[in-house]
Amino acid sequence: MSGAASRLPPLPALTRRALMKGAAAGAMLPLLGPGLAAFAAEETGAATPRHGLSVFGELKYGPDFKHFAYLNPEAPKGGSFVFSAPSWYYNQNAYTFNTLNGFTFRGDAPPRIELCFDTLMVAAADEPDSVYGLVAESIAVSEDGNRHVYRLRPEARFNDGTPLTADDVVFSLETLKAKGHPNIAQSIREMVSVTADDPHTVTVVFSGKQNRKVPILVASSLPIFSRADWAGRDFEASTMTPPLGSGPYRVGKISPGRSIEYERVADYWAKDLPVVVGSANFDRIRLEFYQDDEVQFQAFAKGELTFREEPSSKTWATGYDFPAARDGRVKKPSFPAERRPDMYGWFFNLRRAKFADPRTRQAIGMAFDFPWTNKNLFFGLYVRATSFFQFSDFAASGLPSPDELALLEPFRAQLPAEAFGEAVMPPVADGSRRDRNLLRQATTLLAEAGWQRQGNGLVNASGERLRLEFLIQSQAFERVLSPLIENLKAIGVDASLRMVDAAQYQSRQNAFDYDIMASRIMFDATPIDGIEQIFGSISADVPSGSNLSGLKHPVVDALVSRAASVQSRAELTTLMRGLDRVLRSLHIWFPAWLSEAHRVAIWDKFAWPETKPDYGFSPEMTWWQDPERAAAIGKAG
């Protein structure tokens, strides 16, 4: 899962795009753990092989299902899908790439490199947290939930024809735990052993301290490498050697830093499995890389790209008047957003002393006039984010329920009073661009936090000036942040913005060298594991991790740890709402803006299933090329 990558407002979600098979899994993928014991014992009997698993025991698809309902088993193969990635994770970078290893810390990898690999199981995009067998034809779970035995399909093959065996799985999981990207290593730290019992049987053992989802993270999101392919090579080093995988695509043409093609593997060993049928339909998936977003848009307008998820509200409202859009060759179909918790905001780096007082952070956020910004810059296309888990049942609202109060009451002495009242909401500005009433309130908060006027600025008791730098990597943020910076300067905050290239942005994030950075993360529907990576103390000092604020709070840690023992979705909902209340009361961010739909523009050559799944959106893996439409607009290739 995963550092927070950004392009234009709103930031692309930090997701795994279902890691590989168009499933709903995001950076925080469907998992399972100690709580599985009751499910395994009551529903299946201990160590009974199963075709699928879910966090709370429910599976939509039976053992004899033919294909996922959101895929078209009759979709034709062929054609191409050319785009610039709207989402990425781990060390991937949508602006450039210099390595083809997308699962370690070093280098910048191209998005969708994961399409070259298979996993043991696959997440279903129309269920919140269910996974079904891919490389593993079955899984048996011990009664205590700590021992998972996978039976591998004997027909599994790497794309050079060599068998995929238990030894390759052992190598992969052990390597990722020891040398994988920090977000991977942190997630699977309670995996204590992986053994090959025979060429087609793998046993994974957990410590018993893992949360309910960790074992399925291992099953459904970790790629399987070829041990032989990596023999004598440094896994942590950057490399431009195409990886050997067993997935539906392999690396094709490469122009380092500029473009990469993934070629469909025609004889893909798993192409007829129920979890695969109807997916991976394009012969070529091509990613283009641009340093400038306007250049990328012009490339789409010219037909060099055939799919675009439009991040700019201004462009969406005013830019689609080029010839192909006017004559109908370019369409703008509508797709609703996923039913998953969505978080987008500007996070304060709490590792810096100037942000230690929450009143300082609260005051800075009060200078943002969202109504004016939405009307004048965003063309009314956004809603204000209010929760860390927007668009989901996990978002707190109003006063705490009795169950939420019971959860939080033991921590009352450690929390602001705000956590026990109405859920904290961002202030609503008057839409004038400079709400003088809110700015007066912000000035009062800054004074209470110890900042006093000295000339045109503010200083603390040590004479240190209150300076604030917004770190960005896209010019589009300038027009959004400029009015905010003007308001901050009006109340004495020496605010500025710094735009850097993608490499500098990642480097500064890794070194925690920033005051404020934006992050958007779309969690999965059951984010038991993801919340620790984003908010837990254990991830606060992990370079390239997702805890941008560096939050270390005992109550947050306590609530996060309780996620491991929830026994039902109702219990999880109470826990998450309580966590949301606490996080909002700590003012570690000021929330940004979100769209309630995918803004998609396409060259009219595609077709897609009638039903969009609730928990995923991966057109490159679930759509197909319509031969007649493609030919009609000269895009048959």
Side-chain angles (χ1 to χ4, degrees):
M1 242 198 323
S2 75
S6 67
R7 171 162 277 140
L8 300 173
L11 289 166
L14 179 62
T15 82
R16 299 211 57 171
R17 301 286 279 174
L19 191 84
M20 293 185 281
K21 303 294 181 281
M28 328 308 165
L29 291 163
L31 315 171
L32 197 65
L36 174 63
F39 171 60
E42 294 175 12
E43 300 294 330
T44 70
T48 300
R50 291 182 58 83
H51 72 291
L53 294 170
S54 72
V55 172
F56 298 115
E58 298 179 352
L59 293 174
K60 175 178 178 177
Y61 298 97
D64 297 322
F65 82 102
K66 302 303 181 184
H67 63 87
F68 289 134
Y70 55 87
L71 295 176
N72 177 10
E74 304 300 323
K77 305 295 185 184
S80 63
F81 189 97
V82 186
F83 72 131
S84 183
S87 60
W88 55 95
Y89 66 100
Y90 300 152
N91 67 336
Q92 294 180 359
N93 192 323
Y95 293 90
T96 188
F97 68 97
N98 51 38
T99 182
L100 296 180
N101 186 348
F103 303 96
T104 188
F105 178 73
R106 295 179 184 170
D108 298 292
R112 309 302 181 266
I113 192 69
E114 65 272 17
L115 300 181
C116 299
F117 300 96
D118 281 325
T119 48
L120 289 166
M121 305 181 82
V122 174
D126 55 351
E127 298 179 82
D129 47 43
S130 297
V131 296
Y132 300 87
L134 176 58
V135 170
E137 64 182 0
S138 67
I139 178 174
V141 183
S142 65
E143 189 171 356
D144 64 4
N146 294 330
R147 181 183 176 89
H148 291 235
V149 180
Y150 296 93
R151 184 64 183 171
L152 308 187
R153 299 183 193 272
E155 68 268 29
R157 292 288 187 274
F158 288 105
N159 290 329
D160 65 350
T162 57
L164 188 162
T165 70
D167 188 51
D168 297 302
V169 176
V170 172
F171 166 76
S172 302
L173 300 189
E174 290 182 342
T175 298
L176 288 167
K177 181 179 179 181
K179 301 178 180 180
H181 189 278
N183 284 343
I184 298 175
Q186 285 291 324
S187 295
I188 62 175
R189 65 185 181 278
E190 300 301 339
M191 181 185 74
V192 296
S193 69
V194 188
T195 56
D197 303 330
D198 62 50
H200 301 298
T201 306
V202 175
T203 296
V204 180
V205 177
F206 299 92
S207 69
K209 299 177 183 179
Q210 74 279 5
N211 66 51
R212 293 178 63 89
K213 295 183 62 181
V214 169
I216 296 186
L217 169 61
V218 170
S220 65
S221 72
L222 301 186
I224 300 173
F225 308 120
S226 163
R227 180 189 287 272
D229 185 55
W230 280 99
R233 299 166 56 198
D234 181 2
F235 183 81
E236 295 178 285
S238 294
T239 177
M240 291 302 292
T241 300
L244 173 61
S246 63
Y249 287 89
R250 59 166 59 94
V251 173
K253 296 178 182 178
I254 300 174
S255 177
R258 301 185 65 178
S259 66
I260 184 170
E261 286 189 1
Y262 300 108
E263 299 174 347
R264 185 171 63 86
V265 178
D267 59 349
Y268 175 41
W269 73 271
K271 60 185 174 63
D272 296 322
L273 292 181
V275 295
V276 174
V277 169
S279 68
N281 300 314
F282 296 103
D283 282 347
R284 292 182 299 113
I285 296 175
R286 180 181 176 91
L287 279 87
E288 298 282 351
F289 296 77
Y290 301 89
Q291 293 291 325
D292 184 276
D293 295 296
E294 178 60 24
V295 174
Q296 182 198 131
F297 173 72
Q298 293 302 327
F300 173 79
K302 296 174 183 176
E304 295 171 12
L305 306 179
T306 55
F307 173 94
R308 177 174 171 84
E309 188 156 358
E310 181 57 64
S312 167
S313 55
K314 179 181 180 181
T315 303
W316 186 252
T318 67
Y320 286 80
D321 61 352
F322 48 87
R326 290 194 296 268
D327 65 25
R329 287 175 293 158
V330 165
K331 304 287 189 183
K332 295 167 73 175
S334 177
F335 299 95
E338 285 66 63
R339 294 175 55 194
R340 290 156 50 195
D342 204 345
M343 177 188 81
Y344 180 24
W346 295 86
F347 284 79
F348 297 95
N349 186 354
L350 305 185
R351 304 169 186 87
R352 299 194 163 178
K354 59 187 171 185
F355 298 128
D357 194 310
R359 291 169 294 190
T360 300
R361 309 191 295 267
Q362 185 179 0
I364 291 168
M366 295 176 78
F368 178 51
D369 189 334
F370 173 74
W372 182 91
T373 302
N374 196 36
K375 178 181 179 181
N376 293 279
L377 302 181
F378 295 161
F379 299 85
L381 292 173
Y382 293 109
V383 295
R384 182 76 190 270
T386 59
S387 166
F388 287 88
F389 310 114
Q390 195 86 6
F391 302 144
S392 76
D393 292 338
F394 302 144
S397 63
L399 292 170
S401 69
D403 287 342
E404 290 170 54
L405 282 175
L407 174 72
L408 298 179
E409 190 61 40
F411 307 111
R412 184 176 286 272
Q414 298 170 273
L415 291 172
E418 294 169 290
F420 297 88
E422 295 276 347
V424 172
M425 300 288 286
V428 179
D430 62 10
S432 66
R433 179 167 173 155
R434 181 170 293 186
D435 187 324
R436 297 186 184 279
N437 180 49
L438 282 180
L439 293 182
R440 280 194 295 269
Q441 294 180 47
T443 298
T444 299
L445 285 172
L446 289 169
E448 292 173 355
W451 299 101
Q452 300 299 322
R453 274 281 185 176
Q454 186 180 88
N456 293 327
L458 294 171
V459 297
N460 60 17
S462 301
E464 297 168 324
R465 191 175 179 89
L466 180 53
R467 291 188 170 90
L468 174 66
E469 180 186 87
F470 291 85
L471 186 65
I472 63 174
Q473 61 174 337
S474 170
Q475 190 173 7
F477 283 110
E478 291 182 354
R479 68 189 186 104
V480 179
L481 293 176
S482 292
L484 170 58
I485 288 172
E486 291 174 7
N487 286 344
L488 289 170
K489 287 182 176 180
I491 59 175
V493 179
D494 186 3
S496 63
L497 59 85
R498 175 68 61 85
M499 188 172 74
V500 297
D501 64 26
Q504 290 175 303
Y505 191 86
Q506 189 64 52
S507 176
R508 289 187 61 172
Q509 178 184 336
N510 293 347
F512 311 121
D513 182 18
Y514 53 88
D515 287 335
I516 294 184
M517 288 182 72
S519 174
R520 183 184 176 196
I521 293 179
M522 182 177 283
F523 298 87
D524 81 357
T526 311
I528 294 173
D529 179 67
I531 54 177
E532 181 181 56
Q533 295 185 35
I534 307 300
F535 307 116
S537 296
I538 194 169
S539 59
D541 298 320
V542 177
S544 194
S546 299
N547 187 343
L548 285 188
S549 67
L551 178 65
K552 295 181 179 180
H553 196 285
V555 177
V556 172
D557 289 342
L559 294 176
V560 166
S561 68
R562 288 195 182 189
S565 59
V566 294
Q567 298 297 314
S568 68
R569 186 159 293 277
E571 186 180 350
L572 176 63
T573 298
T574 296
L575 176 70
M576 295 294 288
R577 288 177 180 174
L579 176 62
D580 191 34
R581 290 182 185 279
V582 170
L583 291 169
R584 287 156 72 171
S585 75
L586 297 176
H587 300 286
I588 65 173
W589 74 340
F590 65 89
W593 47 87
L594 289 166
S595 174
E596 296 176 300
H598 291 278
R599 292 197 299 260
V600 168
I602 61 169
W603 280 76
D604 190 22
K605 59 178 284 187
F606 301 118
W608 49 83
E610 293 182 5
T611 303
K612 175 191 174 296
D614 286 337
Y615 304 105
F617 186 61
S618 300
E620 66 272 29
M621 288 297 288
T622 60
W623 291 10
W624 61 93
Q625 182 163 301
D626 183 304
E628 292 184 2
R629 289 183 186 174
I633 64 170
K635 295 287 184 184

